[in-house]
Amino acid sequence: MNIILLNSKRGHSRTITLPRFLPALVLAVLVLIPMAAGVGAYWISYRVAPPSYSEEVAKRFQSSLERQSNEVADLKQLSEEQFRALTLKLADAQARLVRLDALGERLVDVAGIESDEFDFGGGELAMGGPEPQDSSAFAPPSFIEELDGLTETLERREQQLNILENLLANRNLENQTFLSGRPITQGWMSSRFGRRTDPFSGKVAWHEGVDFAGKDGSDVVATAAGVVTYAGERSGYGLLVEINHGNGISTRYGHAKTVDVKVGDIVRTGDVIAKMGSSGRSTGPHVHYEVLKNGRQVNPHPYIYRARR
């Protein structure tokens, strides 16, 4: 290979002859030697340095995979156990709901309430709707939907039972405060309400109550539930018990031998409140019984002879 050099100032040229192996040498220097260096470096690094993927790495990866598989299996078993437990709880809640419905039906029957507002198992629920176009699109309800439906049903039953409880409580209160019957357990009526001959003066006088005679020391009972507003000595009455029954109705029990209650006590129908005696203006053991309506004495006979609830 020849290289010609031109000199523009002197106007002559110069030829340089290169050896024939020079191009091959240049090619070797520029291409082959770097390739050989790269291959050699890779070979040295592969032989000398430990590979990134080895049998030990594979074992560690396999161990981690097995551990994760065991954790997934344990989690699956725990989920299945919890699901079975939830299923049992759901079945128990449904059984309790059935018993709750039976109790509700019994309470409605005992209370004698005729109302369509209480649906404690009273037949199938009214339902309807157009026929579905694609029956294959139906999917059974999920477990969560079953729990939500059961929760809604229980809440509805709880509301109904609360209403029923309030109705029964009000009815029971009305029954307890319903004034009826005699204030004694043993004895007889010795003087009626109205005009009579006064046993002390012998003159015609107005008797504001009813007298019940009996054995000295026998029981005097409340004719309705209420609150004791007076218990002690009062002029003319001797030892007196007065009970407020609400709605403007009060009763008085006079001439007692002893008083068994105190002011503020809550008494029920038939509770013993005193013992029959002859204290105060009296001719013998008896109970002077008065019924007051809005603070005025009224005839006790209608209350005495009406049937208890």
Side-chain angles (χ1 to χ4, degrees):
M1 173 180 292
N2 296 325
I3 298 176
I4 300 175
L5 302 177
L6 299 177
N7 192 334
S8 57
K9 294 181 178 181
R10 298 180 180 182
H12 60 83
S13 62
R14 183 181 176 182
T15 300
I16 299 175
T17 302
L18 298 176
R20 294 185 176 181
F21 61 87
L22 185 61
L25 180 62
V26 172
L27 179 63
V29 171
L30 296 179
V31 178
L32 296 180
I33 292 177
M35 289 180 60
V39 172
Y42 175 77
W43 184 84
I44 292 173
S45 63
Y46 181 78
R47 289 296 182 182
V48 176
S52 58
Y53 182 79
S54 62
E55 183 177 355
E56 184 178 356
V57 174
K59 289 181 179 179
R60 289 200 302 268
F61 182 77
Q62 182 68 24
S63 175
S64 176
L65 185 61
E66 291 178 356
R67 185 175 64 256
Q68 293 176 359
S69 299
N70 293 332
E71 291 176 356
V72 170
D74 293 340
L75 181 61
K76 180 180 179 182
Q77 182 180 359
L78 179 63
S79 300
E80 291 177 351
E81 292 176 354
Q82 292 179 346
F83 185 79
R84 285 195 295 268
L86 287 175
T87 303
L88 293 176
K89 287 184 177 293
L90 177 60
D92 180 67
Q94 290 174 338
R96 291 175 180 269
L97 179 59
V98 172
R99 292 195 293 271
L100 192 63
D101 286 341
L103 175 61
E105 289 181 11
R106 178 60 179 165
L107 289 176
V108 170
D109 182 61
V110 169
I113 299 175
E114 295 181 0
S115 174
D116 295 333
E117 295 298 326
F118 301 98
D119 59 346
F120 296 106
E124 296 182 357
L125 297 177
M127 295 182 292
E131 183 178 357
Q133 299 296 327
D134 184 11
S135 60
S136 62
F138 169 77
S142 67
F143 186 77
I144 300 301
E145 290 176 353
E146 288 288 338
L147 285 177
D148 291 341
L150 181 61
T151 301
E152 292 177 1
T153 303
L154 287 173
E155 289 177 353
R156 187 167 58 252
R157 292 293 188 273
E158 182 180 7
Q159 293 175 357
Q160 292 177 342
L161 283 175
N162 287 335
I163 295 173
L164 184 58
E165 180 184 12
N166 291 333
L167 290 174
L168 291 175
N170 293 336
R171 178 167 296 185
N172 183 58
L173 180 61
E174 292 176 359
N175 292 338
Q176 286 291 324
T177 57
F178 183 76
L179 195 64
S180 64
R182 305 192 308 170
I184 58 174
T185 56
Q186 295 178 349
W188 63 93
M189 185 181 294
S190 58
S191 180
R192 293 181 177 273
F193 176 83
R195 293 184 182 275
R196 70 168 185 177
T197 300
D198 186 271
F200 292 94
S201 65
K203 298 178 181 180
V204 176
W206 186 260
H207 190 216
E208 295 180 333
V210 174
D211 292 339
F212 290 91
K215 184 179 178 180
D216 184 61
S218 59
D219 292 338
V220 178
V221 298
T223 53
V227 179
V228 177
T229 57
Y230 191 91
E233 188 79 25
R234 181 177 291 187
S235 178
Y237 290 93
L239 287 177
L240 172 72
V241 175
E242 184 171 336
I243 301 174
N244 189 326
H245 306 286
N247 297 322
I249 302 295
S250 299
T251 54
R252 290 175 178 171
Y253 311 78
H255 307 300
K257 182 177 182 178
T258 59
V259 173
D260 297 340
V261 293
K262 62 182 182 298
V263 174
D265 284 352
I266 298 175
V267 296
R268 297 171 298 179
T269 303
D271 283 354
V272 177
I273 59 174
K275 300 296 183 182
M276 186 182 294
S278 186
S279 61
R281 192 171 183 267
S282 170
T283 60
H286 75 287
V287 177
H288 175 77
Y289 177 64
E290 291 182 6
V291 176
L292 295 88
K293 191 170 185 179
N294 298 322
R296 298 183 61 182
Q297 288 90 347
V298 296
N299 189 354
H301 289 277
Y303 299 97
I304 294 171
Y305 292 109
R306 68 179 176 178
R308 292 190 184 275
R309 288 183 178 178

